[in-house]
Amino acid sequence: MSIRIVGITKQFGAFKALDDVSLDVPQGTLLALLGPSGSGKTTLLRIIAGLETADRGSVLYDDEDVTTRNARDRNVGFVFQHYALFRHMSVFENVAFGLRVRKVPKTEVNKRVEELINLVRLSGMAGRLPSQLSGGQRQRVALARALAIRPQVLLLDEPFGALDAKVRQELRQWLRRLHDEIGMTSVFVTHDQEEAFEVADRVVVMNKGKIEQQGTPREVFDHPANPFVMDFLGNVNVFSGRVQNGKASWGGMEVEYPDYPHQESREASVYVRPHELDIERFATEEGALRVEVKRVNPTGSVAKVYGVSLEYGSPVHVELTPDRYAELELREGEVVYVSPRRVRVFLPTLPEYSI
Ligand code: ADP
Ligand code: MG
């Protein structure tokens, strides 16, 4: 099912939460709504779901206008950040809930719930209460529950926001696979650009109730439409690299990557946060990116250095402590060596990857 949003405006009192927003989500797409807190992401998602009504504009599923149809009749599944599982119900009953409400026959409920519990890899835990599960497991129950009604549209509002980084990353990969297997149209909200870029087919960057830019992750990252998008994405550096034989390589550097032991070389994306990069005047043994310093901003609690990688031609953003910055005495226009203290390597979804 495709989703089309046309000219949606939503006001809370005098405050315009959404201002004439239009958006197409083609059938089968996994789309990320990305933007700072307060930019209108949740409001837009709730309007798509039918949990909130817009002041103006319409929502179409395929070519059908569902603007006035309530959430129950839209056949959507949703998952929110604080997995509101029913605390006194078992995993099984949580997943079965939507089916029971819809008066699905008991044998059908049993069959479907069992399938879903397997799908989210929680077999053997059907009898547990939410309190007896880890955060990641609870979130998978929430997903199974959302999927129980066989939605054609899956809506997720910061579904992994409350989880720690490692679990979050595993669930992302897993969501991507699940989305592909089921062939749904999914929209998920996040304020974490890394998350959006890693799993989404399309990224929509929002700010103050408007869409600043939309496109594939690569399009948005390589060609930010305006300073807002550039600044918003500036919190992470992305480089293209490759993985092979348990190692990832990029820009002449190499790091261990045991998750990919295979001989066949594959493309990967390497993400480095600005504060995880260091600047040297000379190349170190481990290798470094050569970066031409374009601009420095030493005001504030960290010194920001903006440059361009000579290897990649792409922007590089480094944050230094004031002490380190003072020590380096950087000048605009000079070429320095930039090396990471830590990198994250992401692959396009691996079929054999499982958690
Ligand atoms: P996001 O999910 O991007 O953080 P939201 O869509 O939740 O943003 O909110 C956008 C703006 O609308 C915020 O400033 C928020 O305070 C306001 N807002 C959202 N829901 C309501 C509401 N029910 N009543 C009043 N203001 C609201
Ligand atoms: Mg929100």
Side-chain angles (χ1 to χ4, degrees):
M1 185 130 72
S2 65
I3 305 168
R4 170 167 289 182
I5 294 148
V6 189
I8 291 282
T9 296
K10 175 70 184 179
Q11 218 151 314
F12 294 108
F15 180 80
K16 223 177 222 178
L18 292 173
D19 186 3
D20 195 18
V21 170
S22 296
L23 176 65
D24 274 323
V25 191
Q27 150 65 31
T29 307
L30 176 51
L31 180 137
L33 289 178
L34 183 63
S37 172
S39 56
K41 307 180 297 294
T42 295
T43 305
L44 182 57
L45 200 74
R46 288 173 58 83
I47 288 172
I48 297 173
L51 295 167
E52 185 83 73
T53 51
D55 300 332
R56 254 189 295 133
S58 32
V59 178
L60 287 83
Y61 283 4
D62 283 336
D63 287 324
E64 197 182 342
D65 194 321
V66 297
T67 313
T68 57
R69 204 189 284 174
N70 71 30
R72 234 327 173 81
D73 304 322
R74 288 196 194 187
N75 195 29
V76 292
F78 31 85
V79 178
F80 299 101
Q81 173 172 358
H82 300 286
Y83 24 79
L85 294 180
F86 305 115
R87 281 188 300 145
H88 304 293
M89 284 186 197
S90 66
V91 167
F92 187 98
E93 284 307 319
N94 264 284
V95 177
F97 183 77
L99 299 172
R100 299 221 197 278
V101 169
R102 284 170 177 75
K103 308 258 185 284
V104 174
K106 209 170 164 184
T107 48
E108 174 67 21
V109 172
N110 290 346
K111 182 165 163 277
R112 184 100 190 99
V113 171
E114 209 161 297
E115 269 172 26
L116 283 162
I117 289 177
N118 283 333
L119 184 71
V120 299
R121 307 219 163 73
L122 290 174
S123 28
M125 300 194 188
R128 291 202 192 174
L129 289 173
S131 60
Q132 297 168 315
L133 300 174
S134 71
Q137 288 169 337
R138 281 203 287 266
Q139 202 56 324
R140 280 186 274 158
V141 177
L143 257 140
R145 188 177 60 177
L147 295 171
I149 58 163
R150 297 185 198 264
Q152 289 176 288
V153 170
L154 182 65
L155 304 174
L156 308 118
D157 193 355
E158 311 227 8
F160 312 135
L163 304 170
D164 71 51
K166 182 164 180 345
V167 176
R168 213 161 65 208
Q169 211 214 310
E170 286 170 351
L171 281 182
R172 279 179 209 169
Q173 293 285 351
W174 177 83
L175 170 69
R176 177 71 237 191
R177 275 208 330 277
L178 193 71
H179 167 92
D180 291 341
E181 272 170 33
I182 298 183
M184 291 172 296
T185 303
S186 309
V187 179
F188 83 102
V189 164
T190 180
H191 62 267
D192 179 343
Q193 57 275 59
E194 202 173 284
E195 187 158 287
F197 279 75
E198 189 191 340
V199 297
D201 300 312
R202 292 189 71 76
V203 173
V204 172
V205 182
M206 293 186 65
N207 179 36
K208 295 184 179 160
K210 283 180 178 291
I211 292 176
E212 296 277 356
Q213 189 173 6
Q214 52 177 306
T216 64
R218 207 67 247 182
E219 280 164 7
V220 174
F221 203 87
D222 288 347
H223 306 286
N226 54 46
F228 173 82
V229 177
M230 198 180 299
D231 210 41
F232 187 70
L233 301 181
N235 293 336
V236 62
N237 294 288
V238 184
F239 306 99
S240 59
R242 301 199 73 82
V243 287
Q244 190 177 25
N245 296 331
K247 289 188 190 316
S249 55
W250 57 289
M253 283 172 276
E254 201 170 69
V255 291
E256 296 296 323
Y257 189 66
D259 284 0
Y260 189 83
H262 312 287
Q263 225 175 339
E264 183 201 352
S265 164
R266 282 181 58 136
E267 273 182 39
S269 297
V270 177
Y271 287 66
V272 194
R273 298 269 188 215
H275 66 273
E276 293 166 345
L277 285 169
D278 197 13
I279 293 181
E280 300 282 353
R281 292 225 171 264
F282 304 99
T284 53
E285 261 177 45
E286 293 79 35
L289 288 178
R290 287 179 310 142
V291 171
E292 183 179 339
V293 176
K294 292 290 188 190
R295 193 159 62 83
V296 293
N297 178 5
T299 58
S301 57
V302 291
K304 296 181 178 177
V305 181
Y306 301 91
V308 170
S309 154
L310 300 185
E311 279 86 358
Y312 287 99
S314 60
V316 177
H317 176 190
V318 186
E319 286 177 4
L320 300 172
T321 63
D323 285 352
R324 180 70 185 141
Y325 176 75
E327 203 173 74
L328 280 165
E329 299 179 39
L330 294 174
R331 285 180 315 273
E332 290 173 12
E334 73 175 314
V335 173
V336 292
Y337 293 86
V338 170
S339 58
R341 279 187 287 272
R342 177 173 173 208
V343 304
R344 293 174 194 73
V345 179
F346 294 126
L347 294 189
T349 316
L350 277 178
E352 68 271 35
Y353 189 90
S354 69
I355 62 167

